[in-house]
Amino acid sequence: MNRRRAYEDDGDFYGERNRKRRRVSENQEMEERLEALILRVGENSTSSLESNLEGLVSVLESDLGNFRSKILRILSECPIKMPEKCTIYSTMVGLMNAKNYNFGGEFVDHMVKTFKESLKQCRWDAARYALRFLSDLVNCHVISTNSLLQLLDNMVDAANEDSVPQVRRDWYVFAVLSTLPWVGRELYEKKESALENLLVRIEVFLNKRTKKHHNSLRVWSVDAPHPQEEYLDCLWAQIRKLRQDNWAEKHIPRPYLAFDSVLCEALQHNLPLIHPPPHQDSFEYPMPWVVYRMFDYTDCPAGPILPGAHSIERFLIEEHLHSIIESHHWERKDCAAHLLNLSYKDKIPLEYCIVEVIFAELFKMPTPRYLDICYGSILIELCKLQPSKMPQVLAQATEILFMRIDSMNTSCFDRFANWFSYHLSNFQFRWSWDDWDSCLLLEPEHPRPKFIEEVLLKCLRLSYHDRFKEMMPETYSKLIPKPSLPTYKYTMEGAASLPGTATAHKLVVAIRQKCTPEDVLNELKDLPNPRETSENDMVESTFNPLKIDVFVQTLLNLGSKSFSHTFAAISKFHLVFKALAETEEAQICILHNVFELWVNHQQMMVVIIDKLLKTQIVECSAVATWVFSKEMVGEFTKMHLWEILHLTIKKMNQHVTKLSKELSDAKDRLDRTAESSSSESEEEATAASATAGAGATPQRRRKKTAGDDSDKPTEEQVERMEEKLEAAYVDQKRLFLIIFQRFIMILSEHLVKCDTDGRDYDTDWYRWTVGRLQQVFMMHHEQVQKYSSTLESLLFTSDIDPHILDVFHQFTALRS
C-alpha cells in the first residue's frame, strides 16, 4: 500500500507539472497570437480597417488582465518599427483609452519612457518616431494639446542651447518639423497662437544656422534644373506651404476620423515635463544631408501628377519609401514588392518616386546606408515585377544622370559607374550607345567619355573582352579596354638587352621545377644593383630594384592564369617577398612592378595589392606614397587607382578597430576577474569566520569554470596591447598625413602654375583631383575626424590656397 501511495503521489506530481507546462504553452501561444494580430493590423484583409480595429481592440481589452505588459510593449514598439502604420496604432490606443482610462495613462507613461530612452541611447530615428506617435495621440484625444506643445517647446529650447554641436540642434528642429504634418491641423484649430510662436522660434533658428557643409554633400555642383537643397531648408519650405494650405495634406491615412464620436468623449492625459538629455561628448548625431531631386512633373507622362518639390506630400512619400528600404533591404524581392504596393500608389507616378528615392540612397553623402549592390539588386527586381514601366523609367533616369554628369560629385560618379555596369551585366549589356556618341568628340578627361570608359572597364570584370568588341559600335573603339593580359617585358621584343633577362629565364625554369624560396634567393643574389654607382661602390645600397623587378614580374607572370594561381605563388614565396621588401622604397618598387605587369588588367592589380597588404609584404604608407608617385601620373584620374587607395585606408582602419576591440575585451575580462577574486575572498573570509567557532576548517568547493585561467589576461599583456594600439594609431595618423600632404602638394603646384601662366585653373584634371580629396574626407570621415585638429595645425593652415582649405572646412562643418 505504501508503494501504491508513492506511485499515486508521483502521478499527481507529474500531472501537476504537465498541467503547468500546458498552461505556460497556452499562454505563450496566446501571446504570439496577440502579437501577430497587432503586427498585421491594417494589412490586406477582406473586411474594412475600421471593423478590424474594433475587433482587435475588443480582444486586447479582454486580455489586458493576463497580458497587460506584453500589450504595452508591443503597442509601443510597433509605431517605431513600422512608422508607416503610426496612425493605425494611435487609433487603437485611442479606442482603448476611451474604454479604459487607466490603461491609456499606463501606455502614455510607457511611451514617454521609450522616447526618453531613445534620446539617451542616441537612437535618433526611434526617438523621432516616438515623438511622432505621441503627437498623433493628440489627434486621438489621448494626450492634451497643451502638454504636447510644452514638449515641442522644450525640444526647440534644446536647439537654442549654446556650446553644443550644430548637428544636435539641427536634429531637434528636424524632429519637431517632421512631426507637424501629423498634428499641425489639430494644433492650428485649438492652439493657433502657440503653434505660430513655435514656428517663429524655428524660423529664427534656421536663419541663424551656418551651412558650410552644404557644398560637400551635393550630388551636383549646379542647381539647374533642380536645386540641391539642404534638408532643413527643404522641410521648412514644405512646412510653410502646408501652413498656407491650412495644414491640410492628402497623404497621411487617418483612421481615427471614423471614430471621432467615440474618441472625443475620452479623457485626455498630460505628458510629464520632458527635458532632452544634455549633450555629452560621446553622443553621435545624424549628419546633415542634401535632398536629392531628379524628376519634376514635366518628366512624367500623362497620369497622376508628381507632387511639387515643396509640397508636404513629396516629403511624406519619400520618407515612406526610405522606411520601406530600411525595413526590407535584406530581401530584395520583398523590398521591391513593398515599394510597388505603396499606399496611395494610384495618386502618384509611383515608379518615378521609387527610382528617385533609390538613387537618393545610392548617392547619399558622405556614404550610402547600404552597399551599392543592394540598390542595384532592388532595381533589377523592380524591373522584373513591373516590366511594362520600370525599365523605361530607369532608362530615362540613366539618361538624365549621364547628361548631368559634368557637374556630378566624384564619389557619386564612382557609384553611378558601379551601378550602371552591374545593371548592364544583368541585361546582356544591351544599351543604346549610339545616343551617347556625341561624347566621343570631347576631351578624354571629360566626365562623359571617362564615364563610358570606366563602365566598360567595370563590365570587363563581369564578362570577357570579345563580348565588348561585338556589342560596342565601332565609333567607341578608342574607349574599349585593351585585352586583360600581362605585359611581361622579359619575353617581349628587345628583352635580350635587358640586364635581368637571363636570370628571369632561369627563374622560370626553377619555379616550374618547384624550387624553394631559398633557391630563388640564390638565383637572384648575383644580379647587379643598378643603384650602385662607381663613386658610391663602398656604400651598401638599401635594396636592389633589379632583383625585385626580375622576381616580381616573373613570379606573377607565371601565376597569371587566375587569382588563385597568383595567391598560391605569393604564399609560397612569401619569404622572398619579405627579404626583398625590407624598406618602404623597396615596397614601392614591388608595387610599381605589379603595375607594369598588369597595366591592362586593373582588377588583377587591385586584387594583388590587396593580397600584398593582407600578407604584410607592403605597408599601407608605401601604397599611399606609390599612388601619388610620378610614375602614376597617367593613372591619376582613373577609378582603379582610387579603389586601391581606399582599400588601403580601410585595411588600416580595420586593423585599428580590431586592436581597439581586443584591448577593450581584455580590459573587461581583467575587470571581471578582479571583481570575481574580490567577491571570492569576501565569501571565504565569511565562511572562515562562520566555521572557526565550531573548530572546522573551511573547504574551498568552488569549481573553476572552463576558461577562467585561459581567458584571463595579465596586466603585462594588456599593457602590450595598449602599446600595440597606440602604434597603430600612429600609423593611421601617418597614413592620413601622407595622403593629405600629397594632395596639397599636387593641387598647390597646379594652382601656382596656372596662375603663373595666366591659365584657368578649373580644368577637368583639377576637378577630378579636388573631387578625390573630398572623397577621402567623406568615405573615411569617422577616422579622419579624430585627427582633424592635427590636420588643421600641420597641413590645412591658413597659408594654403583657399580652394584647398575650403574642402577641409566643409568636412569639419559636418559634425560641428
Side-chain angles (χ1 to χ4, degrees):
M1 188 165 61
N2 290 338
R3 203 177 303 144
R4 173 82 174 169
R5 190 68 173 169
Y7 173 78
E8 288 176 354
D9 287 344
D10 285 348
D12 288 341
F13 167 74
Y14 286 113
E16 180 64 23
R17 188 168 68 174
N18 289 334
R19 278 194 294 274
K20 286 180 180 178
R21 280 181 177 173
R22 280 198 299 273
R23 195 157 56 243
V24 169
S25 177
E26 287 169 4
N27 285 346
Q28 189 173 351
E29 286 177 11
M30 189 64 186
E31 285 183 2
E32 289 173 357
R33 191 172 71 84
L34 282 174
E35 185 168 3
L37 287 171
I38 296 171
L39 289 174
R40 292 173 186 167
V41 66
E43 296 179 7
N44 295 334
S45 173
T46 53
S47 54
S48 67
L49 175 61
E50 288 77 13
S51 63
N52 282 342
L53 284 172
E54 286 180 326
L56 181 55
V57 166
S58 298
V59 170
L60 295 180
E61 189 187 12
S62 64
D63 288 329
L64 274 180
N66 297 323
F67 306 105
R68 199 179 200 86
S69 58
K70 178 81 173 178
I71 292 170
L72 281 169
R73 183 183 63 79
I74 298 172
L75 279 178
S76 60
E77 287 178 355
C78 283
I80 293 173
K81 293 180 178 178
M82 295 181 284
E84 68 278 5
K85 292 164 72 172
C86 168
T87 55
I88 294 174
Y89 292 114
S90 62
T91 305
M92 283 177 60
V93 174
L95 292 171
M96 292 189 71
N97 178 66
K99 293 185 175 186
N100 189 328
Y101 178 76
N102 290 334
F103 173 81
E106 285 182 57
F107 180 81
V108 170
D109 291 341
H110 200 278
M111 204 67 214
V112 167
K113 183 181 177 183
T114 300
F115 175 59
K116 286 180 172 180
E117 287 297 319
S118 298
L119 290 176
K120 287 178 184 176
Q121 295 169 12
C122 298
R123 295 189 297 118
W124 304 112
D125 281 341
R128 191 163 64 86
Y129 294 145
L131 177 67
R132 175 190 299 175
F133 191 60
L134 289 170
S135 302
D136 203 42
L137 290 177
V138 171
N139 296 319
C140 302
H141 301 271
V142 177
I143 292 174
S144 66
T145 52
N146 284 335
S147 62
L148 176 68
L149 281 166
Q150 179 64 58
L151 171 58
L152 299 181
D153 274 323
N154 288 348
M155 294 191 70
V156 176
D157 288 341
N160 288 313
E161 293 172 4
D162 295 325
S163 304
V164 296
Q166 181 173 301
V167 281
R168 171 186 167 88
R169 291 180 283 164
D170 287 354
W171 182 85
Y172 277 96
V173 168
F174 175 67
V176 173
L177 285 176
S178 63
T179 295
L180 290 178
W182 275 261
V183 75
R185 180 73 182 180
E186 187 76 8
L187 297 179
Y188 169 68
E189 290 177 351
K190 295 182 177 177
K191 299 288 179 182
E192 184 179 359
S193 60
L195 176 60
E196 284 301 314
N197 289 337
L198 182 74
L199 294 173
V200 167
R201 294 181 66 201
I202 291 173
E203 186 171 22
V204 169
F205 167 82
L206 293 174
N207 289 336
K208 289 192 300 184
R209 69 190 285 265
T210 61
K211 288 179 282 188
K212 184 73 177 175
H213 56 269
H214 187 190
N215 286 337
S216 64
L217 299 173
R218 295 164 64 107
V219 176
W220 290 291
S221 58
V222 296
D223 282 332
H226 304 298
Q228 301 288 287
E229 290 183 287
E230 211 265 351
Y231 78 113
L232 272 181
D233 288 346
C234 183
L235 181 55
W236 175 240
Q238 290 165 333
I239 291 296
R240 285 191 302 173
K241 176 71 169 59
L242 182 61
R243 180 172 59 177
Q244 289 173 10
D245 297 337
N246 293 326
W247 302 94
E249 53 70 42
K250 304 171 185 175
H251 186 76
I252 300 174
R254 300 184 185 270
Y256 38 75
L257 295 177
F259 302 100
D260 188 56
S261 59
V262 176
L263 297 175
C264 68
E265 299 294 329
L267 295 174
Q268 294 178 313
H269 305 270
N270 289 321
L271 290 170
L273 196 60
I274 303 172
H275 291 292
H279 169 67
Q280 296 179 25
D281 291 338
S282 60
F283 282 9
E284 285 193 12
Y285 302 93
M287 282 198 288
W289 68 91
V290 167
V291 178
Y292 179 78
R293 291 279 181 263
M294 181 187 290
F295 302 118
D296 59 29
Y297 70 95
T298 59
D299 296 310
C300 305
I305 297 175
L306 184 71
H310 287 162
S311 70
I312 200 64
E313 284 76 20
R314 191 74 169 262
F315 168 77
L316 297 172
I317 291 164
E318 288 168 355
E319 187 180 52
H320 195 166
L321 292 171
H322 283 299
S323 175
I324 290 172
I325 293 171
E326 182 179 11
S327 300
H328 302 282
H329 69 277
W330 291 111
E331 293 289 342
R332 64 187 189 278
K333 292 185 178 182
D334 288 347
C335 188
H338 279 86
L339 288 170
L340 290 172
N341 285 326
L342 185 77
S343 53
Y344 291 91
K345 61 185 176 182
D346 298 328
K347 298 182 179 180
I348 55 171
L350 181 61
E351 292 77 19
Y352 285 86
C353 293
I354 291 172
V355 168
E356 185 174 72
V357 163
I358 290 177
F359 278 112
E361 291 252 354
L362 179 62
F363 294 149
K364 185 177 184 292
M365 297 294 290
T367 52
R369 288 197 292 179
Y370 313 115
L371 295 175
D372 295 0
I373 199 171
C374 169
Y375 303 109
S377 62
I378 292 170
L379 286 168
I380 288 168
E381 291 302 324
L382 288 165
C383 289
K384 291 177 181 177
L385 289 175
Q386 196 76 279
S388 61
K389 294 182 181 178
M390 191 57 73
Q392 290 85 342
V393 175
L394 201 51
Q396 186 179 344
T398 306
E399 187 72 24
I400 289 171
L401 290 171
F402 182 74
M403 289 299 114
R404 296 191 62 190
I405 205 169
D406 305 22
S407 60
M408 183 179 274
N409 181 298
T410 304
S411 293
C412 298
F413 175 96
D414 287 359
R415 297 176 208 168
F416 181 31
N418 288 335
W419 165 76
F420 190 51
S421 59
Y422 169 74
H423 192 77
L424 288 177
S425 72
N426 280 273
F427 291 92
Q428 301 176 350
F429 298 99
R430 288 178 298 184
W431 186 252
S432 52
W433 296 106
D434 290 332
D435 295 344
W436 288 358
D437 58 7
S438 60
C439 74
L440 299 171
L441 304 174
L442 301 170
E443 292 294 319
E445 295 299 313
H446 190 279
R448 291 189 193 182
K450 177 67 74 178
F451 173 77
I452 294 174
E453 184 180 15
E454 294 292 355
V455 165
L456 293 178
L457 282 167
K458 289 286 183 181
C459 286
L460 193 56
R461 299 184 183 189
L462 304 165
S463 185
Y464 52 94
H465 190 264
D466 289 345
R467 180 73 180 270
F468 292 97
K469 292 171 69 175
E470 296 168 5
M471 78 175 195
M472 295 298 293
E474 290 184 11
T475 50
Y476 282 84
S477 58
K478 66 178 182 180
L479 297 182
I480 296 175
K482 294 179 181 178
S484 304
L485 300 173
T487 310
Y488 184 52
K489 63 184 178 184
Y490 292 113
T491 55
M492 295 173 69
E493 187 177 347
S497 61
L498 296 175
T501 301
T503 305
H505 291 167
K506 289 180 185 176
L507 201 57
V508 169
V509 174
I511 292 173
R512 282 178 173 164
Q513 291 177 351
K514 304 190 184 307
C515 66
T516 64
E518 290 76 15
D519 296 334
V520 170
L521 288 171
N522 285 332
E523 289 286 353
L524 297 171
K525 70 179 181 181
D526 294 330
L527 283 171
N529 191 338
R531 301 178 79 240
E532 294 175 352
T533 61
S534 56
E535 295 84 6
N536 200 25
D537 280 342
M538 301 303 292
V539 180
E540 186 179 350
S541 183
T542 53
F543 78 101
N544 187 332
L546 186 57
K547 283 185 181 181
I548 292 173
D549 192 306
V550 170
F551 170 69
V552 172
Q553 295 223 16
T554 302
L555 181 70
L556 295 183
N557 183 58
L558 286 171
S560 62
K561 188 175 181 181
S562 69
F563 294 143
S564 299
H565 286 77
T566 299
F567 292 164
I570 292 172
S571 298
K572 182 174 181 181
F573 295 100
H574 184 264
L575 180 69
V576 183
F577 276 108
K578 293 295 283 185
L580 296 176
E582 291 180 339
T583 65
E584 185 172 290
E585 202 174 2
Q587 293 170 18
I588 292 171
C589 186
I590 289 175
L591 293 167
H592 184 62
N593 277 281
V594 173
F595 168 70
E596 271 193 354
L597 182 72
W598 287 115
V599 65
N600 294 326
H601 194 341
Q602 288 81 5
Q603 185 181 16
M604 182 64 90
M605 201 189 314
V606 172
V607 169
I608 290 174
I609 292 174
D610 183 48
K611 185 68 174 178
L612 295 177
L613 284 166
K614 281 179 181 175
T615 53
Q616 299 182 348
I617 291 169
V618 300
E619 301 293 329
C620 293
S621 57
V623 177
T625 305
W626 169 73
V627 165
F628 290 94
S629 63
K630 289 182 179 178
E631 291 86 352
M632 303 306 293
V633 168
E635 306 291 299
F636 210 66
T637 59
K638 296 180 179 177
M639 276 176 62
H640 74 271
L641 191 68
W642 303 101
E643 186 180 353
I644 291 169
L645 183 67
H646 291 305
L647 77 83
T648 303
I649 297 172
K650 285 176 183 174
K651 281 280 183 297
M652 176 58 77
N653 296 343
Q654 287 166 0
H655 178 59
V656 171
T657 303
K658 178 173 172 283
L659 292 179
S660 180
K661 186 177 185 306
E662 286 174 356
L663 177 61
S664 177
D665 291 345
K667 284 182 174 179
D668 287 345
R669 290 201 302 273
L670 195 62
D671 291 342
R672 285 199 301 270
T673 306
E675 289 173 8
S676 176
S677 300
S678 174
S679 61
E680 284 170 26
S681 300
E682 290 175 7
E683 287 174 10
E684 288 170 8
T686 304
S689 62
T691 56
T697 303
Q699 294 183 358
R700 298 179 185 178
R701 296 187 178 179
R702 177 183 173 269
K703 291 183 180 179
K704 289 191 175 183
T705 56
D708 276 357
D709 293 327
S710 60
D711 288 348
K712 176 187 173 183
T714 63
E715 291 187 3
E716 291 77 13
Q717 285 175 324
V718 171
E719 285 177 10
R720 283 197 296 272
M721 292 172 80
E722 286 175 340
E723 291 169 3
K724 202 173 177 182
L725 178 60
E726 190 61 36
Y729 277 128
V730 170
D731 289 342
Q732 187 182 46
K733 184 192 290 187
R734 179 170 175 262
L735 177 62
F736 284 124
L737 286 171
I738 289 170
I739 292 167
F740 291 124
Q741 184 188 44
R742 298 300 193 279
F743 266 119
I744 291 169
M745 287 169 59
I746 60 173
L747 284 168
S748 298
E749 185 181 337
H750 170 81
L751 291 166
V752 169
K753 192 172 182 181
C754 288
D755 188 48
T756 305
D757 298 346
R759 293 185 289 111
D760 183 12
Y761 71 90
D762 194 20
T763 62
D764 287 326
W765 180 91
Y766 171 78
R767 286 192 290 273
W768 284 121
T769 307
V770 167
R772 295 301 176 187
L773 170 60
Q774 189 182 64
Q775 186 180 42
V776 173
F777 275 123
M778 290 298 182
M779 280 186 69
H780 312 285
H781 61 93
E782 292 179 358
Q783 290 77 26
V784 178
Q785 194 75 43
K786 294 185 290 191
Y787 307 114
S788 56
S789 57
T790 304
L791 293 172
E792 188 170 19
S793 60
L794 294 180
L795 297 179
F796 293 95
T797 54
S798 57
D799 58 341
I800 69 169
D801 192 280
H803 296 92
I804 305 171
L805 194 58
D806 196 44
V807 176
F808 177 70
H809 287 159
Q810 288 173 16
F811 163 72
T812 54
L814 283 175
R815 292 194 181 276
S816 64

